[in-house]
Amino acid sequence: MVNKKTKKKVKKRISAKRLCSSVIKREGVKKDGTLKKGYRYVKGGRVVKAKAKK
């Protein structure tokens, strides 16, 4: 008998961002994506601790 060639199933690759999203946590952001009290967004989308105005 002749073996039929079958296509191998290709595994979908998981992106690094998705794989590490449970490990890498941004400081000042809650699990649901909202900012914690005392933090704010700055230009470029970074999250920084807000300083009190003098």
Side-chain angles (χ1 to χ4, degrees):
M1 291 185 75
V2 178
N3 289 338
K4 288 185 179 180
K5 287 187 178 181
T6 56
K7 287 186 180 180
K8 290 183 180 180
K9 289 186 179 179
V10 179
K11 268 191 174 180
K12 277 193 174 183
R13 292 185 182 201
I14 301 170
S15 68
K17 183 178 180 180
R18 192 167 188 182
L19 182 67
C20 299
S21 64
S22 60
V23 179
I24 300 168
K25 298 288 180 191
R26 283 199 300 176
E27 190 178 321
V29 182
K30 295 179 191 174
K31 283 186 179 180
D32 62 355
T34 57
L35 284 177
K36 288 182 181 176
K37 192 173 183 180
Y39 288 87
R40 66 184 181 93
Y41 286 111
V42 293
K43 200 173 188 179
R46 288 190 18 235
V47 178
V48 293
K49 205 164 201 174
K51 293 180 182 176
K53 289 184 180 180
K54 292 182 181 179

